[in-house]
Amino acid sequence: MLIAQITDLHVRPRGRPSNRVVETNMMTERAIDAVIALRPRPDVVLITGDLTECGLVEEYEQFKHIVRRLDIPFYVVPGNHDRRDNFRRVLADYPTVVADPEFVQFVVDDFPLRLIGLDTLVPGKGEGALCARRLAFLERALAREHDKPTVIFMHHPPFDCGILHMDRIRLLAGAAPLAEIVRPYPNVERILCGHHHRAIEARFGGTIASIAPSVAHQVMFTLAEDGPAALMLEPPAYQLHRYRPETGIVSHTVYVERFPGPFPFVLEPEYPGRA
């Protein structure tokens, strides 16, 4: 099974850039084109939050317009830039968005990997949370299937990464109980996240939690205590997660744009490994 994960699209009303400098709609279009062109084709696409920049109805309508060509099953969860009311209203024709009466949380059992989408949005806040109700949903979902390989996907990562301004707005409330809920289930292959606009991974709750880079702009890399909160126009990217029963999940970071190549490897005569 092949999963494409795209995240942090930050779609804007048509003709308006994000942060006044990033043409996020164009970049999202290019990411969708790249995923459609993949061979072999992904079985599913997971979109892990921040579909929009401001959560406007017009932005969700623009998102729907952009993804209309995506002929691969896809599932979405909200991020901190989204507004749950507009998200659920405009995307109500996607059944998983309104499967729960309050949150965007759901289980998909149609694939070799079980997919559990979680809603970490806190209205009006940058940080994320999993309240008692959302944690109970996850606990019930995991308890129903002890053996089937499972992926949990959500927006806010539950661990510190060292980029301090992002650590302050990661999953705060609910991170510790999340680890305790997941720990007894070795069938949880991954916790897939967005939010940080960089490729980052860590051990968490007995599994691996990973963050995919944005298909638009990236967060500036800095581990300095006084590092600025700023964006960079580094190459947009997404992740591919390949699952096989004998190996579990192997993940790749893939750049959206095309670069010169491919060029064949040509060994120089002096290369010591040449016979």
Side-chain angles (χ1 to χ4, degrees):
M1 179 178 176
L2 190 61
I3 299 171
Q5 180 191 2
I6 66 176
T7 196
D8 295 275
L9 290 58
H10 292 270
V11 168
R12 294 289 286 131
R14 187 169 181 172
R16 295 176 62 183
S18 171
N19 292 282
R20 302 184 181 182
V21 294
V22 189
E23 297 292 344
T24 50
N25 294 6
M26 174 191 70
M27 298 171 93
T28 298
E29 291 265 18
R30 290 181 176 179
I32 296 297
D33 288 341
V35 169
I36 291 172
L38 284 169
R39 295 296 181 271
R41 289 169 61 83
D43 297 285
V44 66
V45 178
L46 304 181
I47 304 178
T48 48
D50 282 358
L51 279 58
T52 68
E53 176 70 8
C54 298
L56 305 176
V57 167
E58 185 179 357
E59 292 173 335
Y60 290 113
E61 295 288 1
Q62 185 66 22
F63 166 81
K64 290 181 73 173
H65 176 75
I66 290 172
V67 299
R68 72 197 185 284
R69 295 178 295 103
L70 188 55
D71 57 349
I72 301 167
F74 68 92
Y75 301 95
V76 296
V77 292
N80 57 293
H81 279 259
D82 293 304
R83 295 185 189 177
R84 192 181 292 115
D85 53 350
N86 289 341
F87 189 107
R88 288 169 60 88
R89 178 152 54 99
V90 179
L91 306 182
D93 47 343
Y94 304 151
T96 52
V97 169
V98 291
D100 184 274
E102 183 178 0
F103 299 107
V104 182
Q105 55 188 15
F106 51 87
V107 179
V108 179
D109 268 321
D110 301 338
F111 303 98
L113 277 170
R114 194 165 191 242
L115 307 174
I116 301 178
L118 293 182
D119 181 336
T120 58
L121 171 61
V122 179
K125 300 289 186 179
E127 70 268 18
L130 288 172
C131 60
R133 188 177 179 283
R134 286 175 275 188
L135 289 167
F137 167 83
L138 174 62
E139 197 162 17
R140 290 192 302 271
L142 291 175
R144 286 198 299 268
E145 286 279 0
H146 289 269
D147 300 320
K148 187 172 183 178
T150 297
V151 164
I152 298 168
F153 64 104
M154 60 192 193
H155 184 66
H156 293 83
F159 60 88
D160 284 340
C161 73
I163 302 175
L164 295 186
H165 68 91
M166 297 305 296
D167 288 338
R168 296 187 189 104
I169 57 170
R170 65 168 175 86
L171 183 74
L172 297 180
L178 172 65
E180 294 310 306
I181 290 170
V182 170
R183 197 179 307 278
Y185 294 96
N187 58 312
V188 175
E189 292 276 344
R190 286 287 194 282
I191 301 174
L192 303 180
C193 310
H195 190 46
H196 282 12
H197 291 238
R198 300 206 70 83
I200 308 169
E201 61 183 32
R203 293 287 298 176
F204 178 85
T207 187
I208 297 173
S210 65
I211 306 168
S214 170
V215 296
H217 48 283
Q218 311 307 329
V219 164
M220 178 181 174
F221 176 74
T222 175
L223 300 179
E225 292 188 4
D226 59 348
L231 66 86
M232 300 290 290
L233 295 180
E234 296 175 9
Y238 59 97
Q239 289 194 328
L240 285 175
H241 309 283
R242 189 183 73 163
Y243 170 75
R244 291 184 174 179
E246 62 272 20
T247 59
I249 288 181
V250 176
S251 300
H252 300 261
T253 297
V254 185
Y255 296 112
V256 170
E257 302 300 331
R258 294 185 59 86
F259 296 92
F263 305 105
F265 291 110
V266 179
L267 297 181
E268 299 297 335
E270 299 85 358
Y271 178 66
R274 182 183 290 275

